[in-house]
Amino acid sequence: MSGWMKRGSYDQQYHHKQSKYVVKEYSSSVAMEERYEHKTQARIQDVVRTKMMDKYVREEPMIRGPKFMVRLRSHTVFENTPIKLFCTVEGFPMPVVKWYKDGVILCVSSGPYLVEAKGGVHTLEIPRCSTDDTAQYAAVACNSHGQASTQASVIVKRFKQEDESCSYAWLPYTVAMLPEIQYTKINITFLDKFGPVFATEGQSATLTATMTLNPNLANLQPEAQWYRDDTRLFDSKWVKIDTGRGVTTLTIPNLFKDDEGLYKIRLVTRGGTAEHSAFVSVSDGPPPVPGAPGAPMDIKIHDANRDYVIVSWKPPNTTTEGPILGYFVDKCEVGTENWTQCNDHPIKICKYPVSGLFEGHAYYFRVRAVNSHGISKASRMSDPIAALDPTEFENLHAKKLGGTLTVVSYHDEVEAEGKPPGAPSGIHASEIDRTYVVLSWTAPSYSSKAPMWYYIEKCMVDGGAWQRVNTQVPIRSPRYAAFDLSEGKQYNFRVVSANIYGASEPSEPTGPIETLQLKGVPSAPGQVISTRETNTSVLIQWAPPKEPNQLIGYYIDQCVKGSKDWTSANHKPHKDSKFVVSGLTTGETYVFRVQAINELGLSDESQESAPLTVKAALTPPSAPYDIALLNCDGHSMVLNWKKPLHSGGANIKEYYVDKRRSGTTMWREVHIPPVTERLYKVEGLTEGAVYQFQVYAANLAGLGPAAKPSADLSCEAWTMPEPGPAYDLTFSEVRDKSLLVEWQKPVYTGSGAITGYHIEYAKKGTSEWTTANETAVSHRFLKVTGLEAGASYTFRVRAVNAAGVGMASMASDPVTAKAVEGSQEVSCVVDEKSGDIVLSFESCQITEGSQFIWKKNYKEMTDFSHGVVIKTEGSSSKLIFKNADKGDFGTYSVSVTNTEGVSSSYTISAEELAKMLELSYDIRHPIIPLKSELAYKILERGRMRFWLQAEEISSNVTYKFFANNKELSGADPNKMGHDVSTGIIEFIMDHFTEENEGTFTCQITDGGGKGQSSLVLIGDAFKAALAEADYQRREYIRVKEGPHFSEFLSLQVGDDCSVTLVCKVANLKKESVFHWYKEDTEIVPDVKPDLGSGVCKLPIKLFSLKTAGVYKATISDDRGKDKSQIDISGKVFDEAINKINQLAGASAAELVINCTATGIQLQCHMKYFTSEMNITWCHGEAKLSHSDKTVIGGSPAMATIEVIEPTERDKGKYSIVITNSENSHKRTLDLSGDAYEKAFAEFQKLKAEAYADKNRGKVVGGLPDVVTIMEKKTLSLTCTVCGEPKPQVSWLKNGADVELDDQYIVSLDQGKFASMTIKGVSMENSGRYTMIVQNKYGGESVDIVVSVYRHGESIPEVKPTLTPKTIIPPKLPIEIPQAKSQPAPSPAPSTPSPAPPKAGRGMKSPTPTRRK
């Protein structure tokens, strides 16, 4: 709080006229009279300050009235020179500054004056001074809380005229005139700059810039000006600024999203300015409730008045949160901590008028956002604002009373006659919104001491009466906001002034004023384009929305390509349609989108931008340099130059060379197209002429600047015997005391071959060259040692031939003997797992596009056909020798491109290589060491445990056990396993018998290692082990005393090919129970197990794949349970089938012929047949397979093959071969000659009979066997008949024809529905009726017994005494219709057949007509 403020003197009531007059007496003089107006304004300001102290509550950070932080300074200048006056003012609201010249306001719209205001800094510039500009200049700053002024004198002298005295030197606030000074230009260089900051609300941030000044003068230090988004920042409770001793620091102790923006430090000196800027991003802090929105920001107070203010704000981004439903506005009176909510329901727009304030009280305001999850944190509170009349002090005036007295008073305190005031004028709308309009007007001339107030009236345009707006509170100031208006409506307003004596006439009404009508949120922004900026930032540009709807700004979202994790790039609305997104990951690919925002909220998202990988934008390369002459033959010159220091972010693709004659200015291009190498032969030159050359470099971004022109080069042929200069010196493996130099051999070799090279070096800045190698080296690289750490050196190379030492190469750029920070060396090891020889290098630097270049003896490796592999992952690279040999020794080097020279090398000598080859062989062919060789141990039940112990095994170990070179199975009941922790591998054999005598072996494989151990059990050693196993088995049975399997399940094939499961159980008692199972489903055999003998059998009927599966047997009682199981599949099944093949083949009978209605069938009877048997049918030498022509099958008693519809081609020898693992059995039949003819005739006969049987007349169904019916009823016997051709139907009664009359009616409908109806049956109609159905292929007869009983009698029980259905044979010969394309077959031979039973005449059913 300011020192002049009265603490604790606040009174709740507003004392309107505490002091009626403020009078001050002072002596008068002629000079003072000239300053009267100035003193008058000063006295008014004193009154204002006095009243402000008593009237308003203030606090230290709250700066209401204007205050000049930098005041105007007086100047003396010569005419026709420019001058600029500076001042800096602060206050809230931001003061308005007006300029005065000798007390008269300056007209800045015309005339020789330029006025500029930016961020509180105000300037008045006179570009060309004249003597008329000599005057006193004043800057007067005003806002609603008061005014302040500053003055300065400007004296314009004629050229070389003596200084004149200034008549304004006596004025207050002036300073002594300074003599003309020739200002020193101060150069500012930033040593340390602040970078982008990414923080969260509630954290702090510090921006620091360190600089050097040249010259550094204590009395001419630069002014540090900090800006955020081009708005000047000053030291306040929100930011702290500290500058001094070459360092300027801006600290934000408590970050809010309002603090986000582009921060700039501007250092201002007489010689100019130096600037640096960086973006500060402030993201939302943790919300009070998960999912709640971020806090609003940028709280602004508009149109503060006696009892209301208008609060506006900007909405937060909702990238991941739900949409915002509205906002709550809170207020807090200054001096208290009691926040109260101003609105009961959330408001949906970002502006709200807060009314009901107490006049003279000061308030803070803040805003909270609401969504479906909850309420956000509060925004940063606004600056304090006082509820007061902004025009109150405009009523102050000063009046000279005469003599030495002046009075300062309000206009309404002047005595006057009592009468109403005049009408206001100039009413207009200074601000228009959706639901309110801020009106301003000019007060009438008023001299009464009675208070005056105003009433505002409104009416709708085109109708409606005038209504008073302010019905409760009189308006004292000529400015007021009319609230509660309708959106999009037109209104007229007028004002009436009043006092205690009455009211004035209404003012002239305003023209139609239409309130705003928001159409909604903005439309989505247009196309979003992203372009590269730096390695960590991207420039985003977009098209503004087509429907901005009072646009506030934009939010930009970013997302890594392929994910849906959108994050905000900015957390405060951005006004421009382009934005630099910082803090991105180099090499990562992003997409971007933009949302527009207004008071109602956020628009839809724009379309996503195209994916963009973050890396620096491309620029043209810098200029090449150091153009050197390598050879000249009198007509051409060979040039070389050094590549540009900066490639511009892309590879240099081409160079352009220009030439000119020395002394001329015209450059000419010497080659088309451009060259790609830095070695070029310029031809077509004039011998003896002197030339200059320049070179351009180009990349994808364009053509760079030209190189500095070369020295004058004379086109004279080189004839010296010594070699020309080497070129292209490069450096690698730079360390603190050594480095490696490489170069290219000279183009001009002199009179003989080059035999070696000398390398010379000199410290930077000296001309003393030192030869690094006294003896010339034959290769084109050398490691220079003995350097001084941190010193810089230049190098050059001289080639040597028989004639002597040649020309020196062009000196290299300075190279500092200092290792790259964090650099590492190449390591060489033999991989412990693969045995490969591996050279590894870890780069301390890596960038996008970096490549590892491996060389052998400093020649790039290109041949990878001998098992040399390069593997690079991230910042690590390996050179791997898969199949190294003795010729691979040498020096291997690696360099990393796009780094600061990261490189290293390793030399493999022949001796070291030999040792590594031996180690590699041992690794690739390891022997797994064993702690214990293979041994055995006999377990209970006589089981045998074979085991060994290795030194170490992994979880991936594999192993096999063998007995007499036959692999043992670890399947149940045997067991096999290992223990990684102990290294033990074991195999438990469930049955150790006499068949197991021999050698047992275990083979182990673990990774690349192998191991083996064997155990021999023969002779006495085996007998002892077997005896022990038998003993342990018997002892187990004796001790356990429970039922068990003495012989486990086995599959037996009998001599009759029957398959049986057999096992043997022992130690049973009466209660012992035996069960059979297949696939865990119990099987109940036809014959119960014989537990008395202990032998249990389960026959498997019709053994085949259908019967395969897992069979299990259990024996149990109250002492325990034992089980045995066998899997009849795979090998077990194949062995059983093989046994069946052997037995069935031996029992196979000779082939016999059996004809069928479809063909000739060959049969081979045997003990058993199943399709899984290995049986082959042959016709001659050709094997037959199952097809539509040859059907292969059989039954359990025989195997068959049937030739369908045989022809002449089917004659010949047929054979069947039954094969087993030991031998085969073959049976043959010659189906030809008489055998074939008989068989074919039999086939034709059976075929004809089958055809006749299929097509003969038949009764399909419908007739009962017995019919019982009461007399006088009607009986209908109906059935369905069939046959081709359609059969004839006749009826018999007791063997005689049924005579047709009115009582008997017979019908045959559609040739298949036959019926006989007997009307009014009587006792005489009882009897046996016969229906005969017949066509040319035969037929059949059916009997029906009809029993008639009288009315009242019980229904008789009649049992049919019927003869079976009688088949009527066909007429011979049987004719089978043939297709027209085929010749008719010869009729089947006629065979005698019994004569059909005589059916008598019968009654044939008439052929019925088609029913309608």
Side-chain angles (χ1 to χ4, degrees), residues 195-306:
V197 176
F198 298 90
T200 305
E201 284 183 306
Q203 297 178 344
S204 62
T206 300
L207 306 181
T208 302
T210 306
M211 71 214 78
T212 59
L213 309 179
N214 186 21
N216 190 357
L217 304 178
N219 60 337
L220 290 177
Q221 293 296 304
E223 179 187 6
Q225 299 177 357
W226 286 90
Y227 294 85
R228 179 177 62 230
D229 296 333
D230 294 328
T231 300
R232 177 78 181 273
L233 299 177
F234 297 95
D235 201 66
S236 66
K237 70 177 181 180
W238 305 120
V239 294
K240 303 296 180 183
I241 299 175
D242 185 19
T243 303
R245 297 184 180 181
V247 178
T248 179
T249 301
L250 181 141
T251 302
I252 308 174
N254 187 20
L255 284 168
F256 288 87
K257 289 187 293 184
D258 306 64
D259 299 312
E260 181 174 280
L262 184 67
Y263 282 74
K264 179 189 297 182
I265 173 62
R266 177 182 295 163
L267 299 173
V268 181
T269 67
R270 293 290 183 181
T273 61
E275 296 181 352
H276 170 68
S277 59
F279 189 76
V280 175
S281 173
V282 184
S283 60
D284 290 302
V289 179
M297 71 213 77
D298 201 13
I299 311 302
K300 301 292 184 184
I301 307 300
H302 308 272
D303 200 50
N305 217 307
R306 291 173 182 251

Side-chain angles (χ1 to χ4, degrees), residues 153 218 284 413 440 853 972 977 1071 1151 1170:
S153 296
D284 290 302
E413 294 176 344
S440 300
I853 308 299
D972 193 49
E1071 291 77 17
L1151 294 175
T1170 179

